[in-house]
Amino acid sequence: MENKRIADLLDEIAKMLSLEDKPNIRFEIRAYQKAALTIGTLQEPVEDMYRKGGTEALMELPGVGKSIAGLIEEYIKTGKSSKYDTLKKKYPIDMASLTSIQGLGAKKALTLYKKLKVKDIATLKKAIELHRIAKLEGFGEKSEETIRKGLELAESSSGRMLISEALPIAEELIAKLKAGGNVEKVLLSGSARRMRETVGDLDILVISKKAEQVMDFFTALDAVESVIAKGPTKSSVRLKAGLNCDLRVLEPQSFGAAVQYFTGSKDHNIQVRTIAVRKGYKLNEYGLFDKSGKNVGGSEEESVYEALGMQWMPPEMREARGEVELALAHKIPVLVEQKDIRGDLHTHTKWTDGANTLEEMAAAAIRLGYQYIANTDHTKNVTIANGKTDAEFERMIPKIDKLNDSFNGKFRILKGVECDILKDGTLDLKESTLNDMDCVIGAVHMNTKMEKSEMTDRIVKALDSGLIHILAHPTGRIVGKREAYQVDLDEVAEAAERNNVALEINSTERMDLNDTNIMLAAKYKVMFSIDTDAHSTNDYVLMRYGVGTARRGWLTKDKIINSKPLDSLLKTFKK
Ligand code: DGT
Ligand code: CA
Ligand code: CA
């Protein structure tokens, strides 16, 4: 049994428990949430742990006490949980889907179930169409509108997959194709190569003299759920992972033009084709043809751009946002790369809502070759994340100092905090505490439904305190789940410039800032920090998606504070 299935079960139990009206239930809820987080991010299969050490071994895991260990045992043995079944009978609601919609928490979902028999997305849609939510006590017009918009947002991204889920799937397929033989070259194209934040389908290109064998091999892969189309040059399949993949087999001499074409974007291609036509060429997926009909495109993408008098540019830039003009002028910037990143400045531990200890977070960062991380746990106002007080942060200082001594100068944990920006723009911890920290992140978590001017003033006031080094997830959006809050990003960027505050590019499903907002903010003299907001050691891998997003925003290395060596980073942080 996979860890994820167990974690999902515990998560859903936690959600249902939150509907129970019992004293002290929040401790039980918290335990289930914690256990779910731990197990969801654990490398070792929980089932193996259980087989080796029984429930005793399970109880070593954070959040797992006797009753949860017993529940896991029952689930492993029978594939069922009586506690889950009992709760489910009482609350036959698709909590996971409903609560993923902005404006709809577990409590509200329960009310909708009790009053309107809403139990899943379909019945929710019906209720909205009939305007029944607006008339409910405790909801109203505004609340119905929020839920309607949340549903729209969820549907607009449905059918698309987050790049952080899609890219590993693509890479596994590519590895399989390479290992399967019969291919000379395999390359990813399409939106995944451009690192777009969501991907509609995967587009893989292959050079092979044995197209038929490659197609047979591809369509028979274990990862394939069904074959949509199969031909000698193109096949399309539905993957078990929940997205489609196109595979094209190409001739070596047209590979360059094909890679250029299928990498896209479509709008970029249209602009490039216009240049080709102007120069008397014809450009399509089969090649770049001169007046005599000779293919001058070649086997590499570079040669296609070169023949058109253009400089090659990274795929992340190809969105028709001015990159074609830059390429014609040979002024394509050298974008930041993952190897430039020297540390992660936004990380959590199990002291608040993470899954690992600080020692584990540091050890994993060292293995990645990082020079530093900032430990930035939550502050008290964020109660759901188990946020800590001034005194508790102060008490951590000597512990981190001691840990740092053990690294012999080869690695450093920056003493940090993700300090909540309160409703009125003041900060959740005292000035004296924040001054004792190396790295202060400011972040808005609560009261996000404010007027634009109010929210802007709130954030600007926080930045003007002069106590903040990084503004985390500046717009509050979550891809496909939560709309950005109303905020004037120009004013925020101006305040960031004035106060030397770096703007975060959060690499999780927040993807915040996103590519277009990065471009907007980069008009000001601001720095950026690409962070993973890691809640476990496994989350460090998300860095590549933040880097991809930074590249989509055309950022160069000198704009990224966590590309700096430790000494110069610390100098930047001195206020
Ligand atoms: P996606 O799959 O929605 O995330 O986005 P893409 O960009 O991967 O789009 P897809 O899979 O439909 O097509 C792959 C590439 O092929 C696309 O980026 C550009 C090229 N392409 C597809 N259709 C057209 C078209 O009608 N005109 C031009 N110029 N290029 C196209
Ligand atoms: Ca695609
Ligand atoms: Ca496609």
Side-chain angles (χ1 to χ4, degrees):
M1 181 168 302
E2 289 164 40
N3 284 354
K4 184 169 182 318
R5 262 182 66 193
I6 298 172
D8 286 349
L9 176 86
L10 297 174
D11 236 355
E12 214 183 326
I13 291 177
K15 285 216 174 87
M16 291 194 282
L17 284 174
S18 72
L19 304 172
E20 297 273 279
D21 197 14
K22 280 188 199 151
N24 291 334
I25 191 84
R26 65 196 173 92
F27 295 109
E28 198 182 350
I29 298 169
R30 175 103 195 105
Y32 274 89
Q33 285 169 337
K34 202 164 183 177
L37 183 67
T38 310
I39 291 170
T41 55
L42 208 64
Q43 299 285 2
E44 191 186 352
V46 168
E47 185 162 355
D48 292 356
M49 289 177 67
Y50 168 72
R51 302 245 176 262
K52 271 184 245 158
T55 49
E56 302 265 291
L58 298 180
M59 281 162 71
E60 308 260 305
L61 296 168
V64 179
K66 208 168 169 181
S67 71
I68 295 183
L71 185 145
I72 296 172
E73 177 177 48
E74 180 192 358
Y75 195 48
I76 289 174
K77 279 185 169 163
T78 66
K80 287 183 134 187
S81 153
S82 44
K83 185 174 180 103
Y84 174 87
D85 291 345
T86 311
L87 283 165
K88 199 74 203 175
K89 227 176 248 154
K90 203 162 160 194
Y91 309 109
I93 317 171
D94 180 0
M95 271 294 168
S97 304
L98 289 177
T99 54
S100 75
I101 288 168
Q102 180 176 23
L104 203 54
K107 288 257 154 64
K108 278 192 170 172
L110 179 66
T111 311
L112 292 182
Y113 170 69
K114 283 189 173 156
K115 299 266 154 90
L116 305 176
K117 291 272 163 285
V118 166
K119 56 181 181 15
D120 52 20
I121 298 291
T123 44
L124 176 68
K125 249 177 156 165
K126 252 279 146 49
I128 292 172
E129 273 166 25
L130 299 173
H131 275 301
R132 298 186 64 190
I133 296 175
K135 292 180 200 105
L136 274 188
E137 202 190 308
F139 282 81
E141 290 285 348
K142 213 171 162 191
S143 174
E144 181 176 281
E145 182 58 15
T146 308
I147 297 172
R148 195 184 58 75
K149 274 199 187 140
L151 190 62
E152 239 173 55
L153 184 71
E155 291 195 325
S156 72
S157 63
S158 83
R160 299 187 67 83
M161 188 179 268
L162 269 180
I163 182 75
S164 54
E165 292 169 16
L167 196 56
I169 295 168
E171 287 171 344
E172 211 175 306
L173 286 174
I174 288 172
K176 290 251 162 68
L177 284 167
K178 283 183 176 162
N182 291 326
V183 296
E184 283 161 45
K185 218 176 199 175
V186 190
L187 202 130
L188 180 66
S189 61
S191 53
R193 184 173 180 228
R194 302 197 311 279
M195 292 292 264
R196 217 184 128 176
E197 64 189 24
T198 61
V199 168
D201 71 355
L202 299 173
D203 303 275
I204 299 177
L205 308 178
V206 160
I207 297 183
S208 169
K209 288 193 185 74
K210 296 183 178 152
E212 213 171 307
Q213 283 97 318
V214 172
M215 290 308 187
D216 285 344
F217 180 78
F218 173 66
T219 52
L221 282 175
D222 206 27
V224 172
E225 183 181 274
S226 59
V227 178
I228 299 163
K230 187 180 170 194
T233 57
K234 183 188 170 190
S235 293
S236 293
V237 299
R238 177 76 184 165
L239 299 170
K240 284 177 187 156
L243 86 166
N244 293 358
C245 178
D246 293 341
L247 182 77
R248 291 180 174 82
V249 177
L250 302 152
E251 303 284 332
Q253 68 275 14
S254 64
F255 199 68
V259 173
Q260 195 284 322
Y261 181 89
F262 290 111
T263 296
S265 68
K266 192 170 157 182
D267 290 342
H268 170 85
N269 285 356
I270 290 168
Q271 291 189 355
V272 175
R273 197 160 52 210
T274 308
I275 309 273
V277 170
R278 206 186 296 155
K279 302 210 167 192
Y281 290 108
K282 192 179 137 196
L283 176 65
N284 56 33
E285 62 266 51
Y286 305 107
L288 176 67
F289 303 95
D290 67 10
K291 283 204 177 74
S292 69
K294 192 171 145 229
N295 185 355
V296 296
S299 61
E300 306 294 332
E301 199 178 56
E302 280 86 345
S303 52
V304 175
Y305 284 111
E306 219 166 84
L308 296 173
M310 296 169 75
Q311 192 183 353
W312 179 89
M313 79 219 64
E316 294 92 331
M317 292 182 75
R318 302 181 198 170
E319 297 290 346
R321 293 176 185 155
E323 74 280 5
V324 168
E325 290 78 1
L326 278 191
L328 283 167
H330 285 78
K331 284 187 177 155
I332 295 291
V334 179
L335 304 182
V336 61
E337 291 178 51
Q338 185 157 10
K339 66 170 170 53
D340 300 328
I341 301 297
R342 297 184 198 248
D344 203 325
L345 296 173
H346 187 167
T347 71
H348 296 273
T349 67
K350 66 194 220 185
W351 192 49
T352 60
D353 62 346
N356 289 97
T357 63
L358 186 54
E359 287 83 352
E360 289 163 349
M361 293 302 284
I366 292 169
R367 280 198 295 277
L368 290 174
Y370 283 164
Q371 291 182 3
Y372 50 81
I373 57 169
N375 167 222
T376 53
D377 269 315
H378 287 287
T379 56
K380 58 186 193 296
N381 191 44
V382 192
T383 45
I384 43 163
N386 197 19
K388 297 290 193 249
T389 62
D390 286 275
E392 287 170 309
F393 272 99
E394 292 288 2
R395 281 202 293 275
M396 275 300 281
I397 292 175
K399 289 184 190 160
I400 297 180
D401 282 337
K402 197 165 157 224
L403 201 51
N404 273 333
D405 284 343
S406 73
F407 301 132
N408 294 320
K410 294 204 175 70
F411 181 80
R412 177 87 72 89
I413 300 168
L414 304 190
K415 282 160 262 179
V417 50
E418 179 176 7
C419 186
D420 195 51
I421 297 174
L422 304 179
K423 202 174 168 186
D424 63 358
T426 58
L427 300 173
D428 197 17
L429 293 189
K430 290 189 198 128
E431 182 170 345
S432 57
T433 314
L434 297 177
N435 276 330
D436 286 342
M437 299 289 150
D438 303 313
C439 175
V440 176
I441 296 180
V444 167
H445 296 102
M446 336 277 270
N447 306 102
T448 53
K449 287 189 200 81
M450 288 176 131
E451 297 289 327
K452 188 170 187 172
S453 63
E454 265 185 297
M455 181 58 93
T456 307
D457 290 350
R458 171 182 179 181
I459 296 175
V460 167
K461 181 176 169 188
L463 300 190
D464 280 339
S465 73
L467 297 167
I468 292 178
H469 301 113
I470 299 171
L471 177 65
H473 37 78
T475 76
R477 59 92 70 134
I478 298 178
V479 178
K481 284 193 188 153
R482 195 190 290 163
E483 206 87 63
Y485 32 69
Q486 299 292 315
V487 63
D488 186 329
L489 202 54
D490 277 286
E491 278 190 45
V492 169
E494 231 177 83
E497 175 178 337
R498 184 164 69 236
N499 293 291
N500 247 324
V501 173
L503 298 176
E504 182 178 64
I505 299 169
N506 188 294
S507 313
T508 66
E509 60 179 349
R510 288 176 176 274
M511 289 283 186
D512 183 16
L513 297 173
N514 69 5
D515 50 2
T516 49
N517 282 333
I518 291 169
M519 285 181 143
L520 188 158
K523 289 185 299 185
Y524 300 85
K525 262 178 67 190
V526 289
M527 296 288 283
F528 297 83
S529 181
I530 310 177
D531 304 330
T532 67
D533 200 349
H535 281 72
S536 84
T537 53
N538 296 337
D539 288 346
Y540 286 139
V541 299
L542 297 175
M543 185 60 81
R544 64 188 298 201
Y545 308 105
V547 172
T549 305
R551 289 165 64 84
R552 287 178 62 82
W554 296 15
L555 292 184
T556 50
K557 177 181 162 180
D558 58 309
K559 289 280 180 192
I560 311 296
I561 52 168
N562 53 323
S563 76
K564 290 176 187 271
L566 181 64
D567 290 350
S568 87
L569 176 75
L570 289 175
K571 259 182 229 144
T572 322
F573 278 169
K574 277 253 148 49
K575 291 260 150 145

